[in-house]
Amino acid sequence: MKLTVLSGVLLVLQLQPEVRCDLMEIGLQLSPINCNARAFLIYERLMSVQLAGFKTVNTIIGDERTDNSIIEAIKCSYANQIRASYKLYSIGTYSKLVEIDRANATYGLHFNHYPHWDVFHSEANKSVITEQVLPAIAFRNPIARVILLIRGIAKYDMLQVFQVAWFRHRMLNMLIVSRVDQRTILVCVFNPYLTRPDVLDDRNMLCCRLSHVDHVAPCTADMKRFIRERLRNLHLYPLKIAITDVELMSKAIHLPDGRIRYQYLDGEIVEIMRKQMNFTAEYIQLSYQDSVGFILPNGTPGGTLDMLERNTIDLAANSRYITHQPMRNLQYVHFLCPIRLVFVVPVDYFQDRYKVVFFHNFSLQMYLVNFVLALTLPLLLLALACRPPTLAVYSNEAFRTLAILFSSSVALPSSYRARLVLMGLMFYSIVAYSGWQGVTIIRLNQDETSLRNIGSLEELAETDLQLKAIISFGNAIHAKLMNSSDVRGQLAARIELPKEVSGKSLIPQVADFRNAAVPIIQYFTEVVKSNYFDPVRKQSKVHIIPEPLVEFLTAMAAPKNSPLYKTFRQLTMDCLENGVVHYQLSKIRTKGILLRIAQNRNKTMRTEPPARTVNLFNMQLVFYAYIGLCGIQDETIV
């Protein structure tokens, strides 16, 4: 049904199918009311300002008294009207709808923002507000604007309501209105960051005592400044920051005054946030795997993902891959940079591979020309010598021609015409053989590093190496590649997720035991190669496959119901746009170069490439061909 509501606050009420309330249920009585009372006019003007710009107004009637302010607004008619999608609920009806959502295991399992265009408007007594209204609103949209009308409540009781909303439900965008008498309204907003968490008093509230309609405008301006400043200056309020002490991501530096400062990309952004927002960072130092969070095979979140879900931290500072997680309270702040995972494998894994030289250095055209010359020139030579073309004579001339093609010494015929033909063939063979010899020398002189190392994901898939990854990387790989049918999907299916908490415990299996391959972040490759260096062989123990396995975006994470999310996001965007992220990533690359310089200074690096050696394995195909020819000869003799 449609109910036309004419007031400065509400307009057209379209009862949704989910709403089950009637006029008697919400206490709407046709008793006369003074719509020109001063307190009501102030209330009407205040609500017109506070509800402007919102798309959805959810009104929850929790007080059935005859002079209920919301009921009075429904009864009265005013010229100034605000158009919005208006929903009217009784407290019982709304609580039942929330319980249905709570029973739905999939409700809210996404990382989309809570809608900012919702506003909740409710009037009830203190106990109903704290025990029923606030928990219901916090479950559906804890960041929505909430306007509570509590009749005759004292400032101390207001502070208690704010305290329940903040510490239990992390609700901050709230305004409490109290009708003191028929002429006066008291309006208060709350800022918990003005004092320590264990101290809440009148300093945390801004209250306006409105006794005239003209007082609404200056009060509204003061509240806007108070709310804007609330999220910009936290007055050294402690925030819990989950972070890890890992080189190249967030390295902890202990300062002389006892404070801890973190370097590199994640650490520098947290430091910028701390200075700009003026908060005190209470660092919760975790292992790398716990700091980025993970999902166990049974679907249970672990690490910072579990902390975010339980609302025990304010920011998960270490950037993690952006993907859908089965969580209700996870919100990615803003992407920082794309990350590629590449495999670390043992160096010189294919130790039995050798450079092989043979006729394959020729092109198909040269093969055809040589065979045509070997078959046709003997016929020409027989014709010039006026000899009968017998098989024995033809074979003799054919082998003479092949010998000249391969730059071998042979006896020339006595006929000058045949000698001229063979001299032209000799000139051709000198040029062709020089080209073949040059290519063979170049091939024998090539470094065997690329030959003996695993150079592609296809070659890795053909090996028996155990593919291992920390759980957080494994979650990212499986999420993107598990359904892929190409070589990346095959490798993803082989990846094991052991209980090791960091790549430091996995990479030794690659460098020392040579039985595993581990994915790492591409930015860290030079540092990893330098850290696992063999001073005897003067080279790294590991090799990096340049072809990336997977690529994804990374971001910090915050609770979805955090009032500081917008500030975190804006500061992260500023860091990205002003080059902070690019500069920190370049420092990671520079770190690897400096480690190489240090090894060169300590004379642990090779100053020149090793000498090239030629062994019989390089010419194994030549021996196979020779043995084959000998076999043919034996068969011919038999």
Side-chain angles (χ1 to χ4, degrees):
M1 69 174 180
K2 281 189 177 181
L3 172 64
T4 302
V5 181
L6 301 175
S7 73
V9 182
L10 314 173
L11 0 156
V12 179
L13 168 63
Q14 173 72 53
L15 288 183
Q16 306 296 328
E18 64 177 8
V19 179
R20 296 291 182 268
C21 62
D22 52 29
L23 301 183
M24 293 302 296
E25 182 182 357
I26 62 175
L28 181 57
Q29 301 178 8
L30 299 178
S31 58
I33 176 177
N34 183 12
C35 295
N36 294 317
R38 178 181 297 181
F40 185 75
L41 291 175
I42 296 173
Y43 163 76
E44 184 274 334
R45 178 69 61 84
L46 180 65
M47 293 299 102
S48 299
V49 174
Q50 294 297 326
L51 300 180
F54 290 95
K55 297 182 180 180
T56 304
V57 178
N58 302 276
T59 299
I60 303 173
I61 306 299
D63 191 343
E64 298 184 359
R65 298 174 58 170
T66 304
D67 57 347
N68 186 296
S69 298
I70 297 179
I71 301 303
E72 291 177 356
I74 295 176
K75 295 176 184 178
C76 295
S77 173
Y78 293 90
N80 296 328
Q81 300 181 7
I82 304 172
R83 298 197 172 277
S85 174
Y86 180 71
K87 300 177 181 179
L88 181 62
Y89 304 91
S90 69
I91 182 60
T93 300
Y94 194 77
S95 297
K96 291 177 181 178
L97 295 174
V98 172
E99 290 304 319
I100 293 174
D101 294 338
R102 290 183 189 273
N104 184 2
T106 61
Y107 181 83
L109 297 182
H110 55 76
F111 56 83
N112 297 326
H113 302 275
Y114 285 115
H116 295 271
W117 53 83
D118 282 356
V119 60
F120 289 86
H121 184 222
S122 177
E123 181 171 7
N125 58 48
K126 177 185 173 183
S127 62
V128 173
I129 289 291
T130 56
E131 297 174 8
Q132 299 183 51
V133 176
L134 290 181
I137 296 175
F139 180 79
R140 281 198 163 182
N141 191 349
I143 68 170
R145 171 69 64 85
V146 179
I147 302 175
L148 302 177
L149 288 78
I150 307 177
R151 186 189 310 275
I153 187 173
K155 292 180 67 175
Y156 175 76
D157 293 325
M158 281 188 180
L159 189 61
Q160 288 184 328
V161 175
F162 282 126
Q163 184 176 5
V164 170
W166 173 244
F167 287 106
R168 289 188 188 176
H169 310 294
R170 279 294 184 257
M171 296 174 62
L172 187 58
N173 191 12
M174 194 168 66
L175 180 146
I176 297 180
V177 180
S178 174
R179 183 161 57 179
V180 180
D181 52 41
Q182 293 294 329
R183 293 176 175 271
T184 308
I185 285 181
L186 182 65
V187 184
C188 293
V189 290
F190 178 67
N191 183 1
Y193 303 120
L194 295 176
T195 59
R196 300 194 313 270
D198 57 340
V199 177
L200 289 179
D201 51 33
D202 290 347
R203 291 175 295 174
N204 299 100
M205 292 194 300
L206 173 67
C207 296
C208 298
R209 196 175 184 89
L210 307 178
S211 57
H212 194 275
V213 176
D214 294 338
H215 296 166
V216 174
C219 175
T220 302
D222 291 341
M223 287 192 296
K224 286 184 177 180
R225 284 193 297 269
F226 184 82
I227 292 172
R228 185 170 55 251
E229 183 69 14
R230 180 172 63 189
L231 302 180
R232 294 183 177 180
N233 185 359
L234 304 189
H235 300 276
L236 301 179
Y237 189 87
L239 296 185
K240 291 181 172 57
I241 311 294
I243 199 168
T244 184
D245 182 8
V246 173
E247 188 75 34
L248 308 180
M249 289 187 61
S250 50
K251 181 64 177 177
I253 303 297
H254 296 270
L255 303 178
D257 58 359
R259 293 188 301 110
I260 299 178
R261 188 181 186 276
Y262 286 85
Q263 290 183 328
Y264 295 108
L265 178 58
D266 296 336
E268 286 297 332
I269 292 181
V270 171
E271 185 66 16
I272 291 173
M273 290 179 176
R274 186 191 66 81
K275 291 180 179 179
Q276 294 296 320
M277 299 173 65
N278 191 26
F279 62 80
T280 300
E282 292 186 354
Y283 292 112
I284 302 175
Q285 189 165 302
L286 306 170
S287 65
Y288 174 74
Q289 180 166 278
D290 288 333
S291 69
V292 297
F294 53 89
I295 300 294
L296 295 174
N298 60 2
T300 304
T304 53
L305 295 184
D306 180 56
M307 295 178 179
L308 291 170
E309 191 74 354
R310 293 186 290 108
N311 228 353
T312 58
I313 59 174
D314 297 289
L315 179 68
N318 289 115
S319 52
R320 74 284 321 283
Y321 67 97
I322 300 176
T323 186
H324 174 74
Q325 302 284 16
M327 298 176 58
R328 288 191 174 95
N329 202 33
L330 169 65
Q331 183 65 62
Y332 297 105
V333 176
H334 190 276
F335 76 88
L336 288 176
C337 61
I339 291 295
R340 294 178 177 178
L341 294 183
V342 294
F343 271 107
V344 180
V345 296
V347 69
D348 292 342
Y349 180 75
F350 299 113
Q351 295 185 358
D352 57 345
R353 281 187 176 181
Y354 296 93
K355 296 170 291 190
V356 179
V357 293
F358 198 56
F359 296 105
H360 58 271
N361 291 321
F362 281 128
S363 65
L364 180 61
Q365 293 86 345
M366 293 194 68
Y367 280 132
L368 294 177
V369 169
N370 289 342
F371 279 107
V372 169
L373 290 176
L375 295 175
T376 58
L377 280 185
L379 296 176
L380 179 59
L381 293 175
L382 291 176
L384 294 176
C386 299
R387 300 171 61 184
T390 62
L391 181 59
V393 176
Y394 177 81
S395 300
N396 185 34
E397 295 298 335
F399 279 107
R400 189 204 301 268
T401 305
L402 284 175
I404 295 175
L405 286 174
F406 293 135
S407 298
S408 299
S409 299
V410 295
L412 295 179
S414 57
S415 173
Y416 74 92
R417 291 182 298 179
R419 288 190 175 190
L420 290 177
V421 173
L422 293 180
M423 287 178 62
L425 181 62
M426 291 172 63
F427 178 76
Y428 165 78
S429 67
I430 290 173
V431 177
Y433 177 75
S434 299
W436 182 20
Q437 190 178 41
V439 172
T440 303
I441 292 173
I442 292 175
R443 185 171 180 82
L444 287 173
N445 197 48
Q446 286 179 346
D447 188 7
E448 296 183 352
T449 302
S450 59
L451 179 67
R452 296 187 179 182
N453 284 317
I454 303 174
S456 65
L457 297 179
E458 287 77 8
E459 290 187 353
L460 176 62
E462 296 174 357
T463 66
D464 296 329
L465 290 175
Q466 301 177 22
L467 307 185
K468 297 183 179 182
I470 60 176
I471 298 180
S472 56
F473 284 174
N475 292 154
I477 294 170
H478 290 162
K480 297 201 69 172
L481 301 176
M482 204 58 184
N483 297 326
S484 179
S485 59
D486 59 0
V487 64
R488 288 180 171 83
Q490 299 172 12
L491 294 174
R494 287 176 51 186
I495 290 180
E496 304 173 5
L497 305 180
K499 296 182 180 179
E500 282 82 357
V501 295
S502 69
K504 288 185 177 180
S505 56
L506 291 176
I507 296 180
Q509 299 184 28
V510 180
D512 300 328
F513 299 101
R514 301 176 59 85
N515 61 357
V518 177
I520 65 169
I521 299 175
Q522 190 179 40
Y523 293 115
F524 302 164
T525 54
E526 291 298 327
V527 176
V528 170
K529 290 174 66 176
S530 299
N531 289 339
Y532 295 91
F533 193 82
D534 187 354
V536 177
R537 301 179 62 189
K538 296 185 179 182
Q539 66 176 7
S540 178
K541 297 179 181 179
V542 297
H543 171 71
I544 308 298
I545 299 179
E547 188 177 359
L549 174 67
V550 66
E551 182 177 6
F552 47 82
L553 296 176
T554 59
M556 296 181 178
K560 191 185 294 188
N561 60 359
S562 172
L564 302 175
Y565 170 76
K566 282 188 175 180
T567 310
F568 287 150
R569 180 180 177 86
Q570 184 59 51
L571 290 175
T572 304
M573 292 174 61
D574 293 341
C575 291
L576 189 64
E577 294 171 356
N578 289 283
V580 175
V581 175
H582 177 75
Y583 172 71
Q584 292 299 326
L585 293 178
S586 65
K587 285 181 63 176
I588 297 176
R589 303 186 188 97
T590 305
K591 179 75 172 181
I593 297 174
L594 293 177
L595 289 174
R596 282 178 168 269
I597 294 175
Q599 290 168 352
N600 190 21
R601 180 189 60 196
N602 298 331
K603 298 181 180 180
T604 57
M605 291 187 67
R606 286 174 173 167
T607 57
E608 59 183 15
R612 306 291 188 262
T613 58
V614 180
N615 52 54
L616 295 180
F617 290 101
N618 301 138
M619 297 180 289
Q620 53 185 312
L621 290 181
V622 178
F623 285 95
Y624 294 154
Y626 175 71
I627 294 173
L629 291 175
C630 291
I632 295 174
Q633 180 182 6
D634 293 339
E635 292 292 335
T636 304
I637 295 174
V638 174

